[in-house]
Amino acid sequence: MTSEITLFVNPAAGRGRGAHAAQPAASALRAAGFVVRTVLGADAADALARARAAVAGGTAALVAVGGDGMAHLALQAVAGTRTSLGLVAVGTGNDLARTLGLPVRDPARAGRLIAEGLAAGRTTDIDLGRVGERWFGTVLASGFDSRVNDRGNRMRWPAGRLRYDLAMLAELAAFRPFPYRIRLDDGEVRETEATLVAIGNGSSYGGGMRICPGADPADGLFDVTVVGDCTRATLLRVFPRVYRGTHVDHPRVSVYRAAKVEISAPGSTGYADGEPLGPLPLTARCIAGAVRVAGL
């Protein structure tokens, strides 16, 4: 195995934590005997092109330093290859790291775990979701929560989870259910009025909102959470329970498991790992063992 590691850094992640986090992570990797090179990129497209070049050049691991957006970008470079993914989670949400039980906002410890795993040849293959050519590690969101994402992305203030909470309150003013068509594993099409449909390879989004609490990124299946047609008052009562994952006990919430999910709803955008995929309809497939992760 080559001794070269590539740090894939978002310097703006977590209000500037990305740039600071790269240093202790790099120090931990160098202390273990690895040669560390850094990829920044002028923008997302340039950074991804550089990351793919590093993977093609034989780097031992691509270590994403930032939040879920950076992890999502790194997945596009390493998924389907034998190059290991490392996560130094210092962004706002860090849901992929949370799902995998990796350190959050502790770059030195994250770097040590990655170095130890690579040095010992100890890596773990996990599943990923795929929509067309795009890969995702956590949750594909649609419906009410994707509209909240849309609004949150337009907001300049505040930062972190509070932005999502305020965007949710604003969206409630115009709340309405969506007429969904859902198909699981080539079965019959289900037509239903739903508030949201979340397709989970991982358990959480939005910085710890456990929308698919039973999702396991190593079982070859998605957990699909469907929140049915409900009033604003019901949604206000149920949605806060998502932080504990107990919303799935509510009679308006259904959970299914499938390796392939097709969803369609007019006026709804799909988001995966917090990144926009485009308008529905979309088809998501769970690809078993699609990426090798170091440090687990």
Side-chain angles (χ1 to χ4, degrees):
M1 181 183 73
T2 178
S3 63
E4 182 180 302
I5 300 292
T6 301
L7 282 188
F8 192 38
V9 181
N10 179 0
R15 289 173 289 179
R17 281 192 293 267
H20 296 295
Q23 298 170 14
S27 295
L29 290 162
R30 290 191 179 105
F34 291 98
V35 175
V36 179
R37 303 188 186 281
T38 301
V39 166
L40 291 171
D43 52 31
D46 181 51
L48 179 55
R50 291 171 184 264
R52 284 177 166 154
V55 170
T59 189
L62 185 68
V63 179
V65 184
D68 285 319
M70 204 62 183
H72 180 80
L73 203 59
L75 288 177
Q76 313 315 308
V78 299
T81 76
R82 291 294 83 191
T83 301
S84 295
L85 172 71
L87 293 174
V88 178
V90 292
T92 302
N94 307 309
D95 286 290
L96 184 55
R98 293 174 196 277
T99 288
L100 299 177
L102 292 171
V104 171
R105 296 180 187 150
D106 189 346
R109 180 165 172 253
R112 288 194 301 271
L113 287 175
I114 293 165
E116 290 166 5
L118 291 171
R122 189 179 66 250
T123 57
T124 302
D125 290 350
I126 66 165
D127 309 336
L128 293 177
R130 189 173 70 190
V131 177
E133 298 301 313
R134 289 277 293 277
W135 300 87
F136 67 93
T138 57
V139 177
L140 192 166
S142 68
F144 176 74
D145 48 3
S146 68
R147 292 181 74 92
V148 171
N149 238 325
D150 285 335
R151 181 177 289 272
N153 287 344
R154 297 192 300 269
M155 294 170 64
R156 292 184 173 272
W157 182 91
R161 199 173 92 179
L162 183 57
R163 177 186 295 176
Y164 191 96
D165 292 342
L166 291 179
M168 182 183 74
L169 290 173
E171 279 300 318
L172 278 171
F175 169 72
R176 58 178 175 77
F178 295 83
Y180 270 93
R181 291 169 59 87
I182 306 169
R183 192 179 189 194
L184 307 175
D185 286 334
D186 299 321
E188 294 184 359
V189 173
R190 306 163 188 249
E191 296 191 10
T192 184
E193 294 283 318
T195 300
L196 65 87
V197 175
I199 302 170
N201 181 60
S203 58
S204 70
Y205 60 9
M209 302 175 74
R210 302 182 67 234
I211 189 68
C212 300
D216 179 354
D219 64 358
L221 295 171
F222 293 124
D223 273 30
V224 184
T225 299
V226 179
V227 178
D229 184 5
C230 55
T231 64
R232 289 185 183 88
T234 299
L235 188 59
L236 278 170
R237 287 196 304 271
V238 173
F239 211 78
R241 292 165 57 178
V242 77
Y243 290 103
R244 301 187 305 276
T246 57
H247 61 291
V248 296
D249 299 326
H250 193 277
R252 291 287 185 179
V253 180
S254 302
V255 178
Y256 307 94
R257 307 188 79 216
K260 177 184 175 185
V261 184
E262 301 171 56
I263 52 173
S264 176
S268 183
T269 300
Y271 276 79
D273 297 337
E275 301 297 314
L277 293 180
L280 273 55
L282 294 171
T283 299
R285 292 174 172 83
C286 185
I287 310 300
V291 68
R292 177 170 291 176
V293 180
L296 294 180

